[in-house]
């Protein structure tokens, strides 16, 4: 399901919860993430089984907020934060609004990765690859609703520092809406 509401700090907010359950996980992309661009029959079978497990374990959630922005030569002002980044400014050149979002496929996939890392390392690797493909496909469905598909930028891309990650997640209330938290190294 999708919940939509307005807040004082942004133009619009949308929360997507587990109502988004079924979409096609890109198996070819998953195999590439597993470093298997050409897969034999056994690897294809492993990938298919992992897709089934990931689909059963996934709990997709996202929060999206729409902001008016001002883009300078090496800075972007989102209203709640000014980010210093030439690559982000170049990426957003000509845009007046952006959708900032955080998305997850849920903790269930991480649990599968941990479980299989001890008993079947190759399956753990494939679950991780399929999970990565699943979240990419989910993010594609989100970006299609708000702008061009596959047009995303994130802290850690180009010269955009990871230090912005906690500020963005806090502004999105990501923990409340999605359960996303950060490690000390600023990774989700």
């Amino acid at each position: 399901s999708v919940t939509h509401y307005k807040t004082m700090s942004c133009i619009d907010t949308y929360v997507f919860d587990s109502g988004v359950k079924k979409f096609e996980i890109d198996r070819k992309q998953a195999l590439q993430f597993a470093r298997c661009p050409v897969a034999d029959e056994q690897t294809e079978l492993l990938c298919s089984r992992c897709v089934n497990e990931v689909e059963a374990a996934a709990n997709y959630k996202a929060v999206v907020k729409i902001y008016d922005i001002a883009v300078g030569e090496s800075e972007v002002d989102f209203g709640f934060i000014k980010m210093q980044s030439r690559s982000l400014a170049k990426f957003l050149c000509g845009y007046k609004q952006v959708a900032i979002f955080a998305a997850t496929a849920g903790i269930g996939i991480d649990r599968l990765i941990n479980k299989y890392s001890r008993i079947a390392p190759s399956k753990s690797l494939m679950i991780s690859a399929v999970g990565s493909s699943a979240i990419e496909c989910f993010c594609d469905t989100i970006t299609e609703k708000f702008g061009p598909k596959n047009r995303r930028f994130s802290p850690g891309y180009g010269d955009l520092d990871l230090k912005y990650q906690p500020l963005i997640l806090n502004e999105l209330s990501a923990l409340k809406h999605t359960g996303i938290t950060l490690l000390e190294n600023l990774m989700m």
Side-chain angles (χ1 to χ4, degrees):
S1 69
V2 177
T3 305
H4 173 249
Y5 57 92
K6 292 187 178 220
T7 65
M8 297 301 290
S9 61
C10 70
I11 297 169
D12 281 310
T13 301
Y14 302 85
V15 178
F16 298 82
D17 64 26
S18 56
V20 183
K21 198 63 174 163
K22 270 294 194 184
F23 54 84
E24 192 72 27
I25 294 175
D26 187 337
R27 292 168 192 247
K28 183 177 177 182
Q29 181 184 57
L31 288 167
Q32 288 173 339
F33 287 159
R35 308 251 188 234
C36 300
V38 178
D40 59 20
E41 188 176 318
Q42 192 173 11
T43 305
E44 290 279 355
L45 181 60
L46 176 62
C47 183
S48 292
R49 288 180 177 156
C50 291
V51 166
N52 292 337
E53 287 193 55
V54 164
E55 286 178 340
N59 183 18
Y60 300 102
K61 293 182 179 184
V63 57
V64 182
K65 289 189 176 187
I66 310 299
Y67 294 89
D68 286 325
I69 60 169
V71 180
E73 189 173 310
S74 62
E75 178 181 87
V76 181
D77 185 349
F78 294 91
F80 73 96
I81 190 173
K82 290 182 181 179
M83 295 185 194
Q84 302 297 318
S85 170
R86 284 189 180 281
S87 52
L88 179 62
K90 182 178 177 183
F91 184 79
L92 293 175
C93 184
Y95 285 85
K96 301 293 182 207
Q97 285 187 341
V98 295
I100 298 178
F101 73 95
T104 182
I107 192 82
I109 296 170
D110 291 327
R111 289 182 178 136
L112 287 175
I113 293 166
N114 284 337
K115 170 186 166 182
Y116 288 118
S117 69
R118 293 183 297 278
I119 59 175
S122 60
K123 190 168 187 176
S124 177
L125 171 79
M126 189 61 75
I127 292 277
S128 178
V130 171
S132 294
S133 181
I135 193 62
E136 286 296 319
C137 292
F138 180 48
C139 289
D140 287 347
T141 64
I142 293 168
T143 56
E144 285 176 346
K145 294 178 186 309
F146 298 98
K149 181 179 175 181
N150 296 326
R151 186 151 169 80
R152 300 194 301 260
F153 206 95
S154 183
Y157 292 9
D159 64 348
L160 185 58
D161 200 305
L162 282 174
K163 72 180 181 184
Y164 297 115
Q165 196 100 293
L167 302 167
I168 293 167
L169 292 178
N170 185 54
E171 172 67 16
L172 293 173
S173 301
L175 178 60
K176 173 184 168 186
H177 294 301
T178 66
I180 294 173
T181 60
L182 287 178
L183 301 173
E184 285 184 28
N185 65 3
L186 302 179
M187 300 303 285
M188 290 186 229

